Coordinates of all heavy atoms in Angstrom, one line a residue:
M9 N -7.6 -59.4 0.0 CA -6.5 -60.3 0.5 C -7.1 -61.4 1.3 O -6.7 -62.6 1.2 CB -5.6 -59.4 1.4 CG -4.4 -60.2 2.0 SD -3.5 -59.2 3.0 CE -3.5 -60.3 4.5
G10 N -8.1 -61.1 2.2 CA -8.7 -62.2 3.0 C -8.8 -61.8 4.4 O -8.7 -60.6 4.8
K11 N -9.1 -62.7 5.3 CA -9.4 -62.4 6.7 C -8.1 -62.5 7.5 O -7.2 -63.3 7.2 CB -10.4 -63.4 7.3 CG -11.8 -63.2 6.8 CD -12.8 -64.0 7.6 CE -14.1 -63.6 7.1 NZ -15.2 -64.1 8.0
V12 N -8.0 -61.6 8.4 CA -6.8 -61.4 9.2 C -7.3 -61.1 10.6 O -8.2 -60.3 10.8 CB -5.8 -60.4 8.7 CG1 -6.3 -59.0 8.6 CG2 -4.5 -60.5 9.4
R13 N -6.6 -61.6 11.6 CA -6.9 -61.2 13.0 C -6.0 -60.0 13.4 O -4.9 -59.9 13.2 CB -6.4 -62.4 14.0 CG -6.4 -62.0 15.4 CD -7.7 -62.0 16.1 NE -8.6 -63.1 15.9 CZ -9.9 -63.1 16.1 NH1 -10.5 -62.0 16.6 NH2 -10.6 -64.1 15.9
L14 N -6.7 -58.9 13.8 CA -6.2 -57.7 14.2 C -6.1 -57.6 15.7 O -7.1 -57.9 16.4 CB -6.8 -56.5 13.7 CG -6.9 -56.4 12.2 CD1 -7.7 -55.2 11.7 CD2 -5.6 -56.4 11.5
K15 N -5.0 -57.3 16.4 CA -4.9 -57.2 17.8 C -4.5 -55.8 18.1 O -3.6 -55.2 17.5 CB -3.8 -58.2 18.3 CG -4.3 -59.7 18.2 CD -3.3 -60.6 19.0 CE -3.9 -61.9 19.1 NZ -3.0 -62.8 20.0
Y16 N -5.1 -55.2 19.2 CA -4.8 -53.9 19.7 C -4.4 -54.0 21.1 O -5.0 -54.7 21.9 CB -6.1 -53.0 19.5 CG -6.7 -53.1 18.1 CD1 -7.9 -53.8 18.0 CD2 -6.0 -52.6 17.0 CE1 -8.5 -53.9 16.7 CE2 -6.6 -52.7 15.7 CZ -7.8 -53.4 15.6 OH -8.5 -53.5 14.4
F17 N -3.4 -53.2 21.5 CA -2.8 -53.2 22.8 C -2.9 -51.8 23.5 O -2.7 -50.8 22.8 CB -1.4 -53.8 22.9 CG -1.4 -55.3 22.4 CD1 -1.2 -55.6 21.1 CD2 -1.6 -56.3 23.4 CE1 -1.2 -57.0 20.7 CE2 -1.6 -57.6 23.0 CZ -1.4 -57.9 21.7
S18 N -3.0 -51.8 24.8 CA -2.8 -50.6 25.6 C -3.8 -49.5 25.2 O -4.9 -49.8 25.0 CB -1.3 -50.2 25.6 OG -1.1 -49.2 26.5
R19 N -3.2 -48.3 25.0 CA -4.0 -47.1 24.6 C -4.7 -47.3 23.3 O -5.8 -46.8 23.1 CB -3.1 -45.9 24.5 CG -2.6 -45.4 25.9 CD -1.8 -44.2 25.7 NE -0.5 -44.4 25.2 CZ 0.4 -43.5 24.9 NH1 0.1 -42.3 25.1 NH2 1.6 -43.9 24.6
I20 N -4.2 -48.1 22.4 CA -4.9 -48.4 21.1 C -6.1 -49.2 21.4 O -7.2 -48.9 20.9 CB -3.9 -49.0 20.1 CG1 -2.8 -48.1 19.8 CG2 -4.7 -49.4 18.9 CD1 -1.6 -48.7 19.1
R21 N -6.0 -50.2 22.2 CA -7.2 -51.1 22.5 C -8.3 -50.2 23.2 O -9.4 -50.3 22.9 CB -6.7 -52.2 23.5 CG -7.9 -53.1 23.9 CD -7.4 -54.1 25.0 NE -7.0 -53.4 26.2 CZ -5.8 -53.5 26.8 NH1 -5.0 -54.4 26.3 NH2 -5.6 -52.9 27.9
E22 N -7.9 -49.3 24.1 CA -8.8 -48.5 24.8 C -9.5 -47.6 23.9 O -10.8 -47.3 24.0 CB -8.1 -47.7 25.9 CG -7.6 -48.6 27.0 CD -6.6 -47.9 27.9 OE1 -6.4 -46.6 27.8 OE2 -6.0 -48.6 28.8
T23 N -8.9 -47.0 22.9 CA -9.4 -46.0 21.9 C -10.4 -46.7 21.0 O -11.5 -46.3 20.7 CB -8.3 -45.3 21.2 OG1 -7.5 -44.6 22.1 CG2 -8.9 -44.3 20.2
I24 N -9.9 -47.9 20.5 CA -10.7 -48.6 19.4 C -11.9 -49.3 20.1 O -13.0 -49.5 19.5 CB -9.8 -49.6 18.6 CG1 -8.9 -48.7 17.8 CG2 -10.7 -50.6 17.8 CD1 -7.9 -49.5 16.9
G25 N -11.7 -49.8 21.4 CA -12.8 -50.4 22.2 C -12.9 -51.8 22.1 O -13.9 -52.4 22.5
K26 N -11.8 -52.5 21.6 CA -11.8 -53.9 21.6 C -10.3 -54.4 21.5 O -9.4 -53.7 21.0 CB -12.6 -54.5 20.4 CG -12.2 -53.9 19.0 CD -13.1 -54.4 18.0 CE -13.8 -53.3 17.3 NZ -14.7 -53.7 16.2
A27 N -10.0 -55.6 22.0 CA -8.7 -56.1 22.1 C -8.3 -56.8 20.7 O -7.1 -56.8 20.3 CB -8.6 -57.2 23.2
S28 N -9.3 -57.3 20.0 CA -9.0 -57.9 18.7 C -10.2 -58.0 17.9 O -11.3 -57.9 18.4 CB -8.4 -59.3 18.9 OG -9.3 -60.2 19.4
E29 N -10.1 -58.3 16.6 CA -11.2 -58.5 15.7 C -10.7 -59.3 14.5 O -9.5 -59.2 14.1 CB -11.9 -57.3 15.3 CG -11.0 -56.2 14.6 CD -11.7 -54.9 14.3 OE1 -12.9 -54.9 14.1 OE2 -11.0 -53.9 14.4
L30 N -11.6 -60.0 13.9 CA -11.3 -60.7 12.7 C -12.0 -60.0 11.5 O -13.1 -59.8 11.5 CB -11.7 -62.2 12.7 CG -11.4 -63.1 11.6 CD1 -10.0 -63.3 11.4 CD2 -12.1 -64.4 11.7
V31 N -11.1 -59.5 10.6 CA -11.7 -58.6 9.5 C -11.2 -59.1 8.2 O -10.1 -59.7 8.0 CB -11.4 -57.2 9.6 CG1 -11.9 -56.6 11.0 CG2 -9.9 -56.9 9.7
E32 N -12.1 -58.8 7.2 CA -11.8 -59.1 5.7 C -11.1 -57.9 5.3 O -11.6 -56.7 5.4 CB -13.1 -59.4 5.0 CG -12.8 -59.7 3.5 CD -12.4 -61.2 3.3 OE1 -12.8 -62.0 4.1 OE2 -11.7 -61.3 2.3
I33 N -9.9 -57.9 4.7 CA -9.2 -56.7 4.2 C -8.7 -56.9 2.8 O -8.6 -58.0 2.3 CB -7.9 -56.4 5.1 CG1 -6.9 -57.6 5.1 CG2 -8.4 -56.2 6.6 CD1 -5.6 -57.2 5.7
K34 N -8.5 -55.8 2.2 CA -8.0 -55.7 0.8 C -6.6 -55.2 0.7 O -5.9 -55.2 -0.3 CB -8.9 -54.8 0.0 CG -10.3 -55.4 -0.1 CD -11.2 -54.4 -0.9 CE -12.6 -54.9 -0.8 NZ -13.6 -53.9 -0.8
S35 N -6.1 -54.6 1.8 CA -4.8 -54.0 1.9 C -3.6 -54.9 1.6 O -3.7 -56.1 1.9 CB -4.6 -53.3 3.3 OG -5.7 -52.5 3.5
K36 N -2.5 -54.3 1.1 CA -1.4 -55.1 0.8 C -0.2 -54.8 1.6 O 0.8 -55.5 1.7 CB -1.0 -54.9 -0.7 CG -2.0 -55.4 -1.7 CD -1.6 -55.3 -3.1 CE -2.7 -55.9 -4.0 NZ -2.7 -55.4 -5.3
N37 N -0.3 -53.7 2.4 CA 0.7 -53.3 3.4 C 0.1 -52.6 4.6 O -1.1 -52.3 4.6 CB 1.8 -52.4 2.7 CG 1.4 -51.2 2.2 OD1 0.6 -50.4 2.8 ND2 1.7 -50.9 0.9
I38 N 0.9 -52.3 5.6 CA 0.4 -51.7 6.8 C -0.2 -50.3 6.6 O -1.3 -50.0 7.1 CB 1.6 -51.6 7.9 CG1 2.0 -53.0 8.3 CG2 1.1 -50.7 9.1 CD1 1.1 -53.8 9.1
Q39 N 0.4 -49.5 5.7 CA -0.1 -48.2 5.5 C -1.5 -48.3 4.9 O -2.4 -47.6 5.2 CB 0.8 -47.4 4.5 CG 0.4 -46.0 4.3 CD 1.4 -45.3 3.4 OE1 2.6 -45.6 3.4 NE2 0.9 -44.2 2.8
E40 N -1.7 -49.1 3.8 CA -3.0 -49.3 3.2 C -4.0 -49.8 4.3 O -5.2 -49.4 4.3 CB -2.9 -50.3 2.1 CG -2.2 -49.7 0.9 CD -2.1 -50.7 -0.3 OE1 -2.7 -51.8 -0.2 OE2 -1.3 -50.5 -1.3
L41 N -3.6 -50.8 5.1 CA -4.4 -51.3 6.2 C -5.0 -50.2 7.1 O -6.2 -50.2 7.4 CB -3.7 -52.4 7.0 CG -4.6 -53.0 8.1 CD1 -5.8 -53.6 7.6 CD2 -3.7 -54.0 8.9
I42 N -4.1 -49.3 7.6 CA -4.5 -48.3 8.4 C -5.5 -47.4 7.7 O -6.6 -47.0 8.3 CB -3.3 -47.5 8.9 CG1 -2.5 -48.3 9.9 CG2 -3.7 -46.2 9.5 CD1 -1.1 -47.7 10.2
E43 N -5.3 -47.0 6.4 CA -6.3 -46.3 5.7 C -7.6 -47.0 5.5 O -8.7 -46.4 5.7 CB -5.7 -45.9 4.3 CG -4.5 -45.0 4.4 CD -3.8 -44.8 3.1 OE1 -4.2 -45.4 2.1 OE2 -2.7 -44.1 3.1
E44 N -7.5 -48.3 5.3 CA -8.8 -49.1 5.1 C -9.6 -49.1 6.4 O -10.8 -49.0 6.4 CB -8.4 -50.5 4.7 CG -9.6 -51.4 4.4 CD -9.1 -52.7 3.9 OE1 -8.0 -53.0 3.5 OE2 -10.1 -53.6 3.8
L45 N -8.8 -49.3 7.5 CA -9.5 -49.4 8.8 C -10.2 -48.1 9.2 O -11.3 -48.0 9.8 CB -8.6 -49.8 9.9 CG -8.0 -51.3 9.9 CD1 -6.9 -51.4 10.9 CD2 -9.2 -52.2 10.1
Q46 N -9.6 -46.9 8.8 CA -10.2 -45.6 9.1 C -11.5 -45.5 8.4 O -12.4 -44.7 8.9 CB -9.2 -44.5 8.7 CG -8.1 -44.4 9.6 CD -7.1 -43.3 9.3 OE1 -6.6 -43.3 8.2 NE2 -6.8 -42.4 10.2
S47 N -11.7 -46.2 7.3 CA -13.0 -46.1 6.6 C -14.1 -46.8 7.4 O -15.3 -46.7 7.2 CB -12.9 -46.6 5.2 OG -12.7 -48.0 5.2
M48 N -13.7 -47.7 8.4 CA -14.6 -48.3 9.2 C -15.1 -47.6 10.5 O -16.0 -48.0 11.2 CB -14.0 -49.7 9.7 CG -13.7 -50.7 8.6 SD -12.7 -52.1 9.0 CE -13.5 -52.6 10.6
G49 N -14.3 -46.4 10.8 CA -14.7 -45.6 11.9 C -13.6 -44.7 12.3 O -12.5 -45.0 12.1
E50 N -14.0 -43.6 12.9 CA -13.0 -42.6 13.3 C -12.1 -43.0 14.4 O -11.0 -42.5 14.6 CB -13.7 -41.2 13.7 CG -14.6 -41.4 14.9 CD -15.3 -40.0 15.2 OE1 -15.9 -39.5 14.3 OE2 -15.3 -39.6 16.4
Q51 N -12.5 -44.0 15.2 CA -11.7 -44.5 16.4 C -10.4 -45.1 15.8 O -9.4 -45.2 16.5 CB -12.4 -45.5 17.2 CG -12.7 -46.8 16.5 CD -14.0 -46.9 15.7 OE1 -14.5 -45.9 15.3 NE2 -14.6 -48.1 15.6
Y52 N -10.3 -45.5 14.6 CA -9.1 -46.1 14.0 C -8.1 -45.1 13.6 O -7.0 -45.5 13.3 CB -9.5 -47.0 12.8 CG -10.3 -48.3 13.1 CD1 -11.6 -48.3 13.0 CD2 -9.6 -49.4 13.6 CE1 -12.4 -49.4 13.4 CE2 -10.4 -50.5 13.9 CZ -11.7 -50.5 13.8 OH -12.4 -51.7 14.2
A53 N -8.4 -43.8 13.7 CA -7.4 -42.8 13.5 C -6.2 -42.8 14.4 O -5.2 -42.4 14.1 CB -8.1 -41.4 13.5
V54 N -6.4 -43.5 15.6 CA -5.4 -43.6 16.5 C -4.2 -44.3 15.9 O -3.0 -44.1 16.3 CB -5.8 -44.4 17.8 CG1 -6.2 -45.8 17.6 CG2 -4.8 -44.3 18.9
L55 N -4.4 -45.2 14.9 CA -3.3 -46.0 14.3 C -2.4 -45.1 13.5 O -1.3 -45.6 13.1 CB -4.0 -47.1 13.4 CG -4.8 -48.1 14.2 CD1 -5.5 -49.1 13.2 CD2 -4.0 -48.9 15.2
Q56 N -2.8 -43.9 13.1 CA -1.9 -43.0 12.4 C -0.7 -42.5 13.2 O 0.2 -42.1 12.6 CB -2.7 -41.8 11.9 CG -3.6 -42.1 10.8 CD -4.4 -40.8 10.4 OE1 -4.6 -39.9 11.1 NE2 -4.6 -40.8 9.1
G57 N -0.8 -42.6 14.5 CA 0.3 -42.3 15.4 C 0.5 -40.8 15.5 O 1.6 -40.3 15.7
R58 N -0.6 -40.0 15.5 CA -0.4 -38.6 15.7 C -0.1 -38.2 17.2 O 0.6 -37.3 17.5 CB -1.7 -37.9 15.3 CG -1.9 -37.9 13.8 CD -3.0 -37.1 13.3 NE -3.2 -37.1 11.9 CZ -4.3 -37.2 11.3 NH1 -5.5 -37.1 12.0 NH2 -4.4 -37.2 10.0
D59 N -0.8 -39.0 18.1 CA -0.6 -38.6 19.5 C 0.6 -39.4 20.2 O 1.1 -38.9 21.2 CB -1.9 -39.0 20.3 CG -3.0 -38.1 19.9 OD1 -2.8 -36.9 19.4 OD2 -4.2 -38.6 19.9
F60 N 1.0 -40.5 19.6 CA 2.1 -41.3 20.1 C 2.5 -42.3 19.0 O 1.7 -42.5 18.1 CB 1.8 -42.1 21.4 CG 0.5 -42.9 21.3 CD1 0.6 -44.2 20.8 CD2 -0.7 -42.4 21.7 CE1 -0.6 -45.0 20.8 CE2 -1.9 -43.1 21.6 CZ -1.8 -44.5 21.2
I61 N 3.7 -42.8 19.1 CA 4.1 -43.8 18.1 C 3.3 -45.0 18.1 O 3.0 -45.5 19.2 CB 5.6 -44.0 18.3 CG1 6.5 -42.8 18.1 CG2 6.1 -45.2 17.4 CD1 8.0 -43.0 18.5
V62 N 3.0 -45.6 17.0 CA 2.3 -46.8 16.9 C 3.2 -47.8 16.2 O 3.7 -47.6 15.1 CB 1.0 -46.7 16.1 CG1 0.3 -48.0 15.9 CG2 0.1 -45.7 16.9
Y63 N 3.5 -48.9 16.9 CA 4.3 -50.0 16.3 C 3.4 -51.1 15.8 O 2.2 -51.2 16.3 CB 5.2 -50.6 17.4 CG 6.3 -49.6 17.8 CD1 6.3 -49.1 19.1 CD2 7.3 -49.3 17.0 CE1 7.3 -48.2 19.5 CE2 8.3 -48.4 17.4 CZ 8.3 -47.9 18.6 OH 9.3 -47.0 19.1
S64 N 3.8 -51.9 14.9 CA 3.0 -53.0 14.4 C 3.9 -54.2 14.3 O 5.1 -54.2 14.1 CB 2.4 -52.6 13.0 OG 3.3 -52.2 12.1
A65 N 3.2 -55.4 14.3 CA 3.9 -56.6 14.1 C 3.0 -57.5 13.2 O 1.8 -57.4 13.2 CB 4.0 -57.3 15.4
V66 N 3.6 -58.2 12.3 CA 2.9 -59.1 11.4 C 3.3 -60.5 11.7 O 4.5 -60.9 11.7 CB 3.3 -58.8 9.9 CG1 2.6 -59.7 9.0 CG2 2.9 -57.3 9.5
D67 N 2.4 -61.3 12.1 CA 2.5 -62.7 12.5 C 3.7 -62.8 13.6 O 4.6 -63.5 13.5 CB 2.9 -63.6 11.3 CG 1.7 -63.8 10.4 OD1 0.5 -63.7 10.9 OD2 1.9 -64.1 9.2
Q68 N 3.6 -61.9 14.5 CA 4.5 -61.7 15.7 C 5.9 -61.3 15.3 O 6.9 -61.6 16.1 CB 4.5 -63.0 16.5 CG 3.1 -63.3 17.0 CD 3.0 -64.6 17.9 OE1 4.0 -65.2 18.3 NE2 1.8 -64.8 18.4
N69 N 6.1 -60.7 14.2 CA 7.4 -60.1 13.8 C 7.3 -58.6 13.7 O 6.4 -58.2 12.9 CB 7.9 -60.8 12.5 CG 8.2 -62.2 12.6 OD1 9.0 -62.6 13.4 ND2 7.6 -63.0 11.7
M70 N 8.1 -57.9 14.4 CA 8.1 -56.4 14.3 C 8.3 -55.9 12.9 O 9.1 -56.5 12.1 CB 9.2 -55.8 15.2 CG 8.9 -55.8 16.7 SD 7.7 -54.5 17.1 CE 8.6 -53.1 16.9
V71 N 7.5 -54.9 12.6 CA 7.5 -54.3 11.2 C 8.0 -52.8 11.5 O 7.4 -52.1 12.3 CB 6.2 -54.3 10.6 CG1 6.2 -53.6 9.3 CG2 5.8 -55.7 10.3
T72 N 9.0 -52.4 10.8 CA 9.4 -51.0 10.9 C 9.1 -50.1 9.7 O 9.2 -48.9 9.8 CB 11.0 -50.9 11.1 OG1 11.6 -51.6 10.0 CG2 11.4 -51.6 12.4
D73 N 8.7 -50.8 8.6 CA 8.4 -50.0 7.4 C 6.9 -50.3 7.1 O 6.4 -51.4 6.9 CB 9.2 -50.6 6.2 CG 9.0 -49.9 4.9 OD1 8.1 -48.9 4.9 OD2 9.7 -50.2 3.9
V74 N 6.1 -49.2 7.0 CA 4.6 -49.3 6.8 C 4.3 -49.8 5.4 O 3.2 -50.2 5.1 CB 3.9 -48.0 7.0 CG1 4.0 -47.7 8.4 CG2 4.5 -46.9 6.1
K75 N 5.4 -49.9 4.5 CA 5.2 -50.5 3.2 C 5.4 -52.0 3.1 O 5.3 -52.6 2.1 CB 6.1 -49.8 2.1 CG 5.8 -48.3 2.0 CD 4.6 -48.0 1.2 CE 4.5 -46.5 1.0 NZ 3.4 -46.2 0.2
T76 N 5.8 -52.6 4.2 CA 6.0 -54.0 4.3 C 4.8 -54.7 3.9 O 3.7 -54.5 4.4 CB 6.5 -54.4 5.7 OG1 7.7 -53.7 6.0 CG2 6.7 -55.9 5.8
S77 N 4.9 -55.8 3.1 CA 3.8 -56.6 2.7 C 3.1 -57.3 3.8 O 3.8 -57.8 4.7 CB 4.2 -57.5 1.6 OG 3.1 -58.5 1.2
I78 N 1.8 -57.3 3.8 CA 1.0 -58.1 4.8 C 0.2 -59.2 4.0 O -0.6 -59.9 4.7 CB 0.1 -57.2 5.6 CG1 -1.0 -56.5 4.7 CG2 0.9 -56.2 6.5 CD1 -2.0 -55.8 5.5
E79 N 0.6 -59.4 2.8 CA -0.1 -60.5 2.1 C 0.1 -61.9 2.7 O 1.3 -62.2 3.0 CB 0.3 -60.5 0.6 CG -0.2 -59.2 -0.1 CD 0.0 -59.2 -1.5 OE1 -0.7 -59.8 -2.3 OE2 0.9 -58.5 -2.0
G80 N -0.9 -62.6 2.9 CA -0.8 -63.9 3.6 C -0.7 -63.9 5.1 O -0.6 -65.0 5.7
A81 N -0.6 -62.7 5.7 CA -0.6 -62.6 7.2 C -1.8 -63.2 7.8 O -2.9 -63.0 7.3 CB -0.4 -61.1 7.5
R82 N -1.7 -63.8 8.9 CA -2.8 -64.3 9.7 C -3.1 -63.3 10.9 O -4.2 -63.4 11.4 CB -2.4 -65.7 10.2 CG -2.3 -66.7 9.1 CD -2.2 -68.1 9.5 NE -1.1 -68.2 10.5 CZ -0.9 -69.3 11.2 NH1 -1.7 -70.3 11.1 NH2 0.0 -69.3 12.1
E83 N -2.1 -62.6 11.4 CA -2.3 -61.8 12.5 C -1.5 -60.5 12.4 O -0.3 -60.5 12.0 CB -1.9 -62.5 13.8 CG -1.9 -61.7 15.0 CD -1.3 -62.4 16.3 OE1 -2.1 -63.2 16.8 OE2 -0.1 -62.1 16.6
I84 N -2.1 -59.3 12.7 CA -1.4 -58.1 12.7 C -1.7 -57.4 14.0 O -2.9 -57.3 14.4 CB -1.8 -57.2 11.5 CG1 -1.5 -57.9 10.2 CG2 -1.2 -55.8 11.5 CD1 -2.1 -57.3 8.9
A85 N -0.7 -56.9 14.7 CA -0.9 -56.3 16.0 C -0.4 -54.8 15.9 O 0.6 -54.5 15.3 CB -0.1 -57.0 17.1
F86 N -1.1 -54.0 16.7 CA -0.7 -52.6 16.8 C -0.6 -52.3 18.3 O -1.5 -52.6 19.1 CB -1.9 -51.7 16.2 CG -2.1 -51.9 14.8 CD1 -3.0 -52.7 14.3 CD2 -1.2 -51.2 13.9 CE1 -3.3 -52.9 12.9 CE2 -1.4 -51.3 12.5 CZ -2.5 -52.2 12.0
F87 N 0.5 -51.6 18.6 CA 0.8 -51.3 20.0 C 1.7 -50.0 20.2 O 2.5 -49.7 19.2 CB 1.5 -52.5 20.7 CG 2.7 -53.1 20.0 CD1 3.9 -52.7 20.2 CD2 2.4 -54.0 19.0 CE1 5.0 -53.2 19.5 CE2 3.5 -54.5 18.3 CZ 4.8 -54.1 18.6
P88 N 1.5 -49.3 21.3 CA 2.3 -48.2 21.5 C 3.7 -48.6 22.1 O 3.9 -49.8 22.4 CB 1.6 -47.4 22.6 CG 0.8 -48.4 23.3 CD 0.5 -49.5 22.3
P89 N 4.6 -47.6 22.3 CA 5.9 -48.0 22.8 C 5.7 -48.6 24.3 O 4.8 -48.3 25.0 CB 6.6 -46.6 23.0 CG 5.9 -45.8 22.0 CD 4.5 -46.3 21.9
M90 N 6.6 -49.6 24.5 CA 6.5 -50.3 25.8 C 7.4 -49.6 26.8 O 8.5 -49.1 26.4 CB 6.9 -51.7 25.7 CG 6.2 -52.4 24.5 SD 5.0 -53.4 25.0 CE 4.7 -54.3 23.5
T91 N 7.0 -49.7 28.1 CA 7.9 -49.2 29.1 C 8.0 -50.3 30.2 O 7.2 -51.2 30.2 CB 7.4 -47.9 29.8 OG1 6.1 -48.2 30.4 CG2 7.3 -46.8 28.8
G92 N 9.0 -50.3 31.0 CA 9.2 -51.3 32.0 C 9.9 -50.7 33.2 O 10.3 -49.5 33.2
G93 N 10.0 -51.4 34.2 CA 10.7 -50.9 35.4 C 10.7 -51.9 36.4 O 10.4 -53.0 36.4

């Protein structure tokens, strides 16, 4: 597919150990991307959402279906649920 900027927030950033990275990917959707990233290291397992829900956004638009196409995306963000107060 090409290079895409990946951004990680909150607990995901802490687990992966970086706020963002520019990576060359082959994936066509979020689910494939998560699987591809896991081949880069076990820290990316956090993106599976086993311990908490993981949300994603493609080019700053929320994605609710992991099968949504990411072809042509420039930025993909992963983040846990937000709280406020």
Side-chain angles (χ1 to χ4, degrees):
M9 184 184 126
K11 288 193 176 190
V12 65
R13 168 76 50 198
L14 302 178
K15 290 186 166 186
Y16 311 111
F17 294 91
S18 188
R19 292 185 278 177
I20 297 169
R21 178 187 64 235
E22 293 166 8
T23 301
I24 291 176
K26 52 185 124 183
S28 69
E29 61 186 323
L30 185 63
V31 296
E32 182 80 29
I33 63 170
K34 298 175 184 150
S35 305
K36 294 181 179 163
N37 61 49
I38 296 290
Q39 182 175 338
E40 289 179 10
L41 176 59
I42 291 170
E43 292 168 7
E44 184 177 347
L45 290 170
Q46 286 180 305
S47 71
M48 294 170 48
E50 64 183 49
Q51 68 273 25
Y52 292 97
V54 68
L55 299 175
Q56 288 182 327
R58 289 187 181 144
D59 296 330
F60 53 87
I61 295 171
V62 174
Y63 293 110
S64 56
V66 177
D67 293 330
Q68 300 185 3
N69 294 305
M70 280 287 286
V71 173
T72 57
D73 182 359
V74 294
K75 298 285 188 178
T76 299
S77 174
I78 59 171
E79 294 186 78
R82 295 186 309 166
E83 176 186 281
I84 300 170
F86 294 97
F87 49 95
M90 313 258 189
T91 60

